[in-house]
Amino acid sequence: MPSESKNIDQFKELKWSDLQDWAGEKATAKGIKYQEEERVKDIKRTSEDSLVARVEGTIEYFTEVSMENGKLSSICTCPVEHDCKHGVAAVLEYLERIEQGEEVSVIAEEDPLIAKARRGYTGYETSGTFDADESPSPILREYLKQLEKSELIEILVAFAQKDAKLGRYLRDRQNLASENIEGIIGGIYSELEELWRETKGYDYWSYEGENELDFSDLQIRLESLLDSGHPEELLDIGKELMEKYEGIEEYDEEGEIGTEISGCMDVVFKALSQSSLPAHKKMLYALDIELKDNYSILNDHTFWKEDYTKEEWKLFVEALKVRMQEAERTENTLYDSSWDWDYVVDRLTDALGKAGLSEEIIPTCELEAEKSGNYVRLIKLLLDSGQKEKAEEWIYRGIKETGEYESGTAHQLRQIFLGIKEKEGNWLSVTAIETEEFFRYPHLASYIRMQEAAAKTGKWQEIRETALQYLIEGKLPEGKLPASKARSTEETSILPEILPKTGLPDIGSKKQIKPPVLDLLIKIAIQEKDPDEVVHWYEELQKNKGEGEKYRNSVSEKEIANILKDKYPEIAIEIWKKLADKLISETKVDSYQAASVHIRKVKETLKAIEKGTEWEAYLREIRESNKRKRKLIEILDMMGEDRIIREEQKQNIMEKV
């Protein structure tokens, strides 16, 4: 057996709390369940001392778990992509095997198990038995060329009987060869209707997609239609698919049905490229399909990257302009949302460039900015073309026009202006913009950005004192806050004696605060790692039963306890106990797992301050008051073990090695 290395020894040192801190309590609970259900089908070690495993989920997933300085991390081919239940299951399986004295072998770097784990999530859920990088097509093709026709027929017939999808594909090709096109198309529409009926009874929230709908047969029928030279017939089917999905897309939260449909639409886009439609009509079709894709289910396709001539792009531009003019004239517009309209304009500007009509792009976008309020597109184009001064003029104009009713757009424009000043290295202006943003709408993110900018100007301490005074007392030092609308930030600085004016118009009205803003003061103290300030404002929060109650829900007591545990351990312990009690009262297994995180912290902190007997008393109290909750008791049983592998077990393993 290979000698044990430093990192593999680190796996043996793992505590249950390490798994929870790494993957979270829910993923840990599910990982424990997966390992107990023997879903880890293959596990190996790498020469870099990581673990790689094949784990059964909805399908087979491949994961790699590493340790660096005692910290766990993992990657996985599942949709979560990293630090997931599959990684947890792999670690527990590894520890169980070495605890039982089994060998976990080291594999070479070129082993397929490593390659599959490191491939990561591809967005396509396959069984794991086929890897595109390992495609045997060239070798297989050479082998098949050597076979007689009769041998090929026998192989196809034999496998068509074993594989329903291959059988369906070949039967459709047979029908198409006998010119039974109507029958195939009718069958496809019948299958579509049956699938849509199934979607009405589909449980969109089922765990692991146990009742997942399967569009793969439909996709095979579409491919057989295309491979037989009937691309035009697929275009109407594609429209039908997207129109039907529009009716259910808001319920398809995990995107299972959308993923199935996207595979079918890949075939439709291939058909579009092969169809006999003129290029500009193909473009109009593609645009119509994309406008139905409200939840981005379509995979990336190469249609718009195909090599069309300037004349073809010009025809598309002309046709699209006519459509847009008609849409503006009619009450029932073709492009009935601002998102649709913006997307169409984006396609138009792209087409203008490819048609050799670049001189029309900026005038078109200027007109659209005035009509639809999309200033962002125009300003980005102006900046890309080197027209910075004109871009800034449009920024001022855009903020004035949208600040009152479209604050999101105005905020985007301020951010673009901020980027311009950052590129210029004008940090005083950057700080002034970030400070305006903080006082307009105080929150932790704007405080941090203000701090980062002010640090480059040497003015942070002055700005910090003023910001905290504002949060505590609700006012700035006399003369520093604009007194009325007449003195907007367009005309004066938010902090006249410290920062220059930005010249930017206000965005709506400033948020009214009711001081002291306890939740934000606590968050800032946590960010600045100041336990004294944290405990001061936390105690104020506890005292204030009225206004403080609304702040309490926006403050993470877990973060408060973590920052207080070293200097104010008793307060931290009380917070963890309260959080654990609340979760246990929910009487759910997931809640018990979440509660165990807080209980472990109570244990670690009490032992750190040499109050082990108090820990034992607390654990007995929880057991006694919850003795009927079997799952909770099982979780509490693990509390007695600091490590997943007990010390005597670890010693036995080391002796065997």
Side-chain angles (χ1 to χ4, degrees):
M1 182 175 176
S3 62
E4 297 291 327
S5 68
K6 180 178 69 176
N7 279 349
I8 293 298
D9 284 340
Q10 286 189 65
F11 280 108
K12 293 177 188 173
E13 298 291 330
L14 284 172
K15 302 175 185 177
W16 289 104
S17 56
D18 293 327
L19 294 185
Q20 291 172 324
D21 290 344
W22 159 49
E25 54 266 18
K26 286 188 178 180
T28 300
K30 290 177 180 177
I32 292 170
K33 187 171 183 285
Y34 267 36
Q35 193 270 333
E36 289 174 348
E37 292 173 350
E38 300 182 353
R39 289 181 181 238
V40 182
K41 300 302 181 183
D42 194 10
I43 186 164
K44 296 289 189 291
R45 293 161 47 188
T46 73
S47 59
E48 297 172 352
D49 294 326
S50 61
L51 306 174
V52 287
R54 174 169 59 90
V55 185
E56 279 189 354
T58 310
I59 59 167
E60 284 185 341
Y61 295 114
F62 299 86
T63 185
E64 179 175 17
V65 187
S66 307
M67 285 194 75
E68 187 71 32
N69 299 322
K71 297 291 184 183
L72 286 159
S73 63
S74 70
I75 56 173
C76 189
T77 58
C78 76
V80 177
E81 299 188 47
H82 57 83
D83 305 338
C84 61
K85 61 192 173 189
H86 307 104
V88 172
V91 170
L92 293 175
E93 180 68 19
Y94 169 74
L95 292 176
E96 182 173 293
R97 291 191 185 190
I98 62 171
E99 186 178 344
Q100 293 173 353
E102 296 182 25
E103 179 178 344
V104 179
S105 58
V106 178
I107 55 176
E109 280 297 306
E110 59 270 19
D111 191 286
L113 189 60
I114 295 177
K116 287 174 180 176
R118 292 178 181 172
R119 178 180 59 195
Y121 179 57
T122 62
Y124 301 94
E125 295 201 342
T126 62
S127 66
T129 57
F130 174 76
D131 189 329
D133 294 334
E134 301 167 3
S135 171
S137 297
I139 298 172
L140 181 60
R141 189 179 296 275
E142 287 304 313
Y143 165 71
L144 292 174
K145 282 181 179 178
Q146 298 170 21
L147 298 179
E148 297 291 332
K149 182 177 179 180
S150 59
E151 293 176 297
L152 287 170
I153 291 171
E154 287 303 316
I155 290 172
L156 282 172
V157 170
F159 274 92
Q161 292 172 343
K162 293 179 181 180
D163 189 309
K165 292 178 182 178
L166 176 60
R168 169 65 63 84
Y169 178 85
L170 291 175
R171 284 194 300 275
D172 282 351
R173 290 297 297 268
Q174 181 184 10
N175 287 332
L176 287 164
S178 62
E179 298 185 352
N180 186 16
I181 300 170
E182 292 79 8
I184 295 295
I185 294 173
I188 289 172
Y189 276 105
S190 296
E191 192 164 338
L192 259 178
E193 285 304 314
E194 179 60 30
L195 284 166
W196 294 128
R197 276 196 295 274
E198 288 180 31
T199 62
K200 292 177 182 177
Y202 181 69
D203 181 0
Y204 294 93
W205 294 275
S206 67
Y207 180 69
E208 288 282 357
E210 291 165 358
N211 63 342
E212 203 165 285
L213 294 174
D214 187 0
F215 281 66
S216 58
D217 278 353
L218 176 65
Q219 183 173 340
I220 287 169
R221 302 198 78 175
L222 298 179
E223 287 169 348
S224 68
L225 195 60
L226 177 61
D227 293 346
S228 299
H230 300 280
E232 276 77 10
E233 285 80 354
L234 284 170
L235 302 187
D236 286 339
I237 296 170
K239 280 187 177 180
E240 169 96 359
L241 273 168
M242 294 303 292
E243 285 168 3
K244 292 284 190 182
Y245 185 65
E246 279 186 300
I248 63 163
E249 59 192 358
E250 64 181 297
Y251 306 109
D252 187 26
E253 290 187 353
E254 298 298 321
E256 292 101 335
I257 297 175
T259 299
E260 294 283 324
I261 290 174
S262 70
C264 296
M265 292 307 299
D266 287 343
V267 184
V268 173
F269 271 100
K270 286 180 186 175
L272 179 61
S273 294
Q274 294 177 25
S275 75
S276 59
L277 287 175
H280 71 283
K281 289 191 176 179
K282 291 181 183 180
M283 295 176 189
L284 290 170
Y285 176 92
L287 179 58
D288 286 345
I289 293 294
E290 289 172 340
L291 290 171
K292 296 179 188 299
D293 186 20
N294 298 317
Y295 286 78
S296 301
I297 67 165
L298 295 176
N299 296 318
D300 289 337
H301 54 81
T302 59
F303 176 79
W304 295 105
K305 297 175 184 176
E306 291 180 21
D307 190 20
Y308 301 112
T309 66
K310 284 185 178 182
E311 288 305 312
E312 289 170 331
W313 282 109
K314 282 180 181 177
L315 288 172
F316 174 60
V317 166
E318 290 167 9
L320 191 53
K321 283 181 177 180
V322 169
R323 278 195 176 193
M324 292 171 73
Q325 288 164 4
E326 289 174 355
E328 288 183 304
R329 283 197 304 268
T330 58
E331 186 175 339
N332 296 318
T333 58
L334 179 64
Y335 309 121
D336 56 1
S337 75
S338 59
W339 185 92
D340 286 347
W341 187 265
D342 282 341
Y343 190 81
V344 170
V345 175
D346 286 339
R347 280 290 177 214
L348 175 61
T349 56
D350 178 64
L352 285 168
K354 290 173 178 174
L357 302 170
S358 299
E359 69 282 357
E360 293 185 28
I361 294 176
I362 287 178
T364 297
C365 292
E366 286 177 336
L367 185 61
E368 283 303 319
E370 291 173 344
K371 286 197 303 187
S372 65
N374 192 328
Y375 293 90
V376 174
R377 180 199 297 115
L378 168 62
I379 289 161
K380 286 181 177 178
L381 284 168
L382 289 170
L383 289 172
D384 288 344
S385 63
Q387 301 180 61
K388 188 176 74 171
E389 288 184 7
K390 191 172 182 181
E392 289 187 8
E393 289 173 11
W394 276 99
I395 288 173
Y396 294 132
R397 181 174 172 180
I399 293 174
K400 270 190 173 180
E401 293 294 327
T402 63
E404 290 295 328
Y405 67 91
E406 193 69 52
S407 59
T409 299
H411 179 72
Q412 275 187 282
L413 297 176
R414 286 177 69 92
Q415 292 304 113
I416 294 172
F417 186 76
L418 184 71
I420 292 171
K421 296 306 169 187
E422 284 177 345
K423 283 185 179 179
E424 291 174 354
N426 189 342
W427 294 108
L428 272 175
S429 288
V430 171
T431 304
I433 295 166
E434 295 289 17
T435 303
E436 277 184 13
E437 180 65 18
F438 174 78
F439 283 104
R440 186 181 70 85
Y441 188 78
H443 55 96
L444 183 61
S446 60
Y447 181 88
I448 292 169
R449 292 195 302 269
M450 178 174 68
Q451 178 185 17
E452 290 171 349
K456 294 180 170 70
T457 67
K459 294 181 179 291
W460 172 236
Q461 284 309 314
E462 294 174 85
I463 294 171
R464 178 181 180 275
E465 288 171 12
T466 307
L468 293 179
Q469 181 184 18
Y470 178 60
L471 296 177
I472 296 167
E473 300 177 8
K475 60 182 180 180
L476 291 167
E478 193 64 32
K480 290 188 177 178
L481 187 65
S484 67
K485 275 286 182 183
R487 293 182 63 201
S488 68
T489 52
E490 187 176 3
E491 300 166 348
T492 186
S493 168
I494 190 77
L495 300 176
E497 296 174 15
I498 302 174
L499 296 170
K501 67 178 183 179
T502 64
L504 294 176
D506 287 329
I507 301 177
S509 57
K510 292 181 176 63
K511 179 185 177 183
Q512 296 299 311
I513 65 167
K514 188 168 183 179
V517 188
L518 296 172
D519 62 334
L520 184 50
L521 287 165
I522 291 171
K523 290 175 183 177
I524 288 171
I526 292 172
Q527 170 69 21
E528 295 180 346
K529 296 181 173 58
D530 187 340
D532 294 328
E533 283 296 298
V534 172
V535 79
H536 170 71
W537 294 116
Y538 181 64
E539 287 174 348
E540 288 295 316
L541 185 67
Q542 296 298 98
K543 292 177 194 174
N544 195 329
K545 298 298 182 184
E547 193 66 25
E549 193 62 37
K550 73 174 185 181
Y551 291 134
R552 193 171 285 107
N553 295 328
S554 68
V555 175
S556 169
E557 289 193 288
K558 289 190 287 187
E559 290 184 25
I560 292 172
N562 288 337
I563 201 79
L564 296 182
K565 67 181 180 181
D566 294 327
K567 193 165 184 180
Y568 299 97
E570 300 292 348
I571 297 175
I573 288 166
E574 286 307 309
I575 292 173
W576 286 321
K577 285 182 177 180
K578 182 177 70 172
L579 293 171
D581 288 346
K582 185 175 183 296
L583 287 163
I584 289 170
S585 70
E586 295 174 5
T587 61
K588 295 189 296 188
V589 175
D590 282 354
S591 298
Y592 298 155
Q593 289 288 352
S596 72
V597 175
H598 305 308
I599 296 170
R600 286 185 190 284
K601 289 183 182 292
V602 171
K603 173 185 176 181
E604 292 166 2
T605 305
L606 283 171
K607 289 197 169 186
I609 60 176
E610 299 181 349
K611 290 190 176 182
T613 55
E614 193 174 318
W615 155 249
E616 297 297 337
Y618 173 59
L619 186 58
R620 281 196 303 273
E621 179 189 336
I622 300 175
R623 284 178 177 278
E624 183 59 30
S625 57
N626 298 281
K627 56 188 175 185
R628 294 181 182 276
K629 297 170 181 170
R630 183 174 56 83
K631 285 293 183 183
L632 174 61
I633 297 301
E634 288 177 7
I635 292 167
L636 292 175
D637 286 341
M638 292 189 288
M639 294 290 174
E641 302 297 334
D642 285 325
R643 291 191 175 87
I644 301 173
I645 296 183
R646 295 190 297 274
E647 193 63 39
E648 60 269 25
Q649 292 169 328
K650 188 175 69 168
Q651 187 61 40
N652 291 338
I653 294 164
M654 295 304 293
E655 286 173 2
K656 289 178 184 177
V657 175

